[in-house]
Amino acid sequence: MSLANKSALPKVIELKNKIANITKKGYAFGHQDTTSYGIGWRNDAINYQSDVYAVTGDFPLVFGFDIGQIEHGSPQNLDGVPFDEMKMLIQKAHLDGGIITISWHADNPVSQGDSWDTTPAVKHIFKKGNYHDIFKNWLRKVADFLLSLKDDKGELIPIAFRPFHEMNGFWFWWGNPNCSPAEYIALWKYTFHLLSDEFKVSNLLFIYSPNMIGNTKEYLLNYPGDEYVDMLGLDMYQHGSIKKFKSALKTNIDILKEVGIGKNMPYALTEVGLEKVEVANWWTEVLDEVLVKSGVSWALLWRNHTTGHFYVPYPNQKSAADFITFKNKSHVLFLKDIKL
Ligand code: BMA
């Protein structure tokens, strides 16, 4: 396996191999902001916790974080997680053998609105564009943060970086109706170039991750090329019936798998979930039924924000018992399983 950034550290290729090798045993479980907060608690720098741990006695193997607002030099991200705390949680997860993945809900560089402000912006961020300096300065802040993620020996922590995700959806300023595929590809390449060449960020593995698609062509519509990508992702949430979701998830995973095998790249379900998990056996009868033997490296569930917006059970939640059954399956890998 190779890497897009030829100057990336050997640790990044080790991470890529580790991600690919997970599939020999099954797939990893991931959770966004798992140690930052959960239902009824926030990280207090004393107790290291997670709703996943509270229910199962183990942490996820994949730890998701988001650096939205780092571009402004803000002390905390868009969901109120202080960046200095995030850094410590990343160090701890890495020390324990976890895989770190980072997304970036970047603000709109033109309107200064949030990621969901769809004012056309992409075409203005390139050299000679009116917003080029702003964008480049934002990327410098992103680079500074990523280069500050170091382990206890002072060595950089490898990160699976997932910028400008769900680009085929209408909701982000980098999404297709708000920029063309050609503009998106240019955005990706320019971001890659700034981070890798200009700011010398050497600890990143780049993940391309569209939202749910209908066919391979759609999956690859915004693909910047194998020289700019290390791994393939896909985001997909259940909004309708179980039956419809399972069938669509299966189709989507088949596409992801076909592209992944063709490109010899690991692939993962970079976001998945059913908000509030009101289906008691969702873990074993919906998610695992589709993912078992699918070849995905991981499935990352989104954040546990409030009782109205969460994706992983907390103690006594309706799907908690099934979540334990799911966790105990030998092919579903949590943090302790990597030590086996
Ligand atoms: C979304 C929601 C938002 C959040 C964003 C970034 O899916 O959870 O509330 O701000 O992700 O984490």
Side-chain angles (χ1 to χ4, degrees):
M1 289 221 207
S2 61
L3 290 174
N5 177 6
K6 300 300 167 213
S7 308
L9 296 169
K11 277 186 172 195
V12 183
I13 194 82
E14 280 166 30
L15 173 64
K16 187 166 172 176
N17 286 327
K18 179 173 168 176
I19 291 170
N21 285 336
I22 288 174
T23 61
K24 292 181 184 157
K25 290 184 188 161
Y27 61 92
F29 182 79
H31 187 210
Q32 185 74 2
D33 286 347
T34 198
T35 48
S36 305
Y37 53 80
I39 304 305
W41 63 273
R42 281 197 88 86
N43 176 269
D44 57 7
I46 301 166
N47 301 303
Y48 185 70
Q49 48 183 327
S50 153
D51 285 342
V52 172
Y53 185 83
V55 173
T56 68
D58 201 356
F59 289 94
L61 179 43
V62 178
F63 293 73
F65 295 91
D66 194 281
I67 56 170
Q69 299 292 309
I70 197 79
E71 63 273 19
H72 303 298
S74 163
Q76 56 182 42
N77 85 348
L78 75 164
D79 299 318
V81 179
F83 285 109
D84 53 358
E85 173 189 301
M86 189 187 294
K87 206 180 287 187
M88 289 192 311
L89 296 175
I90 288 174
Q91 285 162 343
K92 167 75 175 145
H94 174 70
L95 184 70
D96 290 345
I99 291 169
I100 316 296
T101 182
I102 292 184
S103 51
W104 178 28
H105 280 82
D107 276 357
N108 184 313
V110 169
S111 64
Q112 302 284 320
D114 62 20
S115 304
W116 296 268
D117 180 325
T118 55
T119 306
V122 176
K123 58 174 177 270
H124 302 295
I125 59 99
F126 304 112
K127 279 186 196 139
K128 297 191 184 138
N130 287 340
Y131 295 83
H132 173 256
D133 292 351
I134 292 182
F135 185 72
K136 191 169 171 182
N137 283 330
W138 283 10
L139 258 294
R140 187 177 282 121
K141 296 222 171 61
V142 168
D144 288 347
F145 181 74
L146 296 169
L147 286 171
S148 76
L149 301 174
K150 296 187 175 164
D151 65 15
D152 49 351
K153 296 190 203 94
E155 290 177 14
L156 283 167
I157 296 173
I159 305 292
F161 187 50
R162 196 168 69 89
F164 304 126
H165 62 303
E166 301 173 6
M167 76 302 289
N168 55 330
F170 60 84
W171 44 90
F172 296 136
W173 57 262
W174 59 84
N176 277 164
N178 317 309
C179 71
S180 67
E183 286 167 345
Y184 179 85
I185 289 169
L187 168 72
W188 182 284
K189 289 184 178 175
Y190 192 49
T191 301
F192 178 90
H193 161 69
L194 283 179
L195 291 175
S196 308
D197 306 328
E198 183 118 6
F199 302 132
K200 311 270 184 245
V201 184
S202 53
N203 54 335
L204 303 184
L205 181 151
F206 286 83
I207 311 182
Y208 168 76
S209 86
N211 193 57
M212 180 171 138
I213 32 84
N215 54 52
T216 309
K217 200 170 158 232
E218 234 181 90
Y219 184 84
L220 292 172
L221 186 64
N222 297 279
Y223 188 68
D226 298 352
E227 340 56 290
Y228 296 94
V229 173
D230 298 304
M231 177 172 168
L232 304 168
L234 181 88
D235 292 5
M236 192 164 163
Y237 288 90
Q238 181 178 338
H239 295 294
S241 73
I242 292 179
K243 199 167 162 226
K244 268 200 187 147
F245 176 68
K246 275 171 86 167
S247 128
L249 184 61
K250 189 166 181 326
T251 308
N252 273 259
I253 299 280
D254 285 347
I255 295 165
L256 187 62
K257 183 174 186 170
E258 179 203 312
V259 181
I261 290 173
K263 295 187 179 300
N264 190 28
M265 281 184 196
Y267 51 96
L269 205 43
T270 37
E271 283 185 37
V272 66
L274 168 64
E275 193 179 52
K276 295 196 272 187
V277 226
E278 274 161 355
V279 176
N281 290 343
W282 193 80
W283 303 99
T284 57
E285 287 177 13
V286 182
L287 190 64
D288 187 55
E289 270 202 18
V290 183
L291 295 193
V292 63
K293 303 209 172 88
S294 66
V296 296
S297 287
W298 71 69
L300 181 131
L301 281 291
W302 206 241
R303 64 200 199 105
N304 272 18
H305 178 223
T306 58
T307 49
H309 184 51
F310 69 92
Y311 293 87
V312 157
Y314 46 91
N316 301 319
Q317 194 271 341
K318 192 173 182 181
S319 72
D322 187 58
F323 189 59
I324 296 170
T325 310
F326 166 74
K327 188 250 164 208
N328 287 335
K329 287 181 184 280
S330 59
H331 63 272
V332 179
L333 307 170
F334 280 57
L335 190 61
K336 282 179 192 156
D337 297 319
I338 48 160
K339 288 174 188 143
L340 294 180

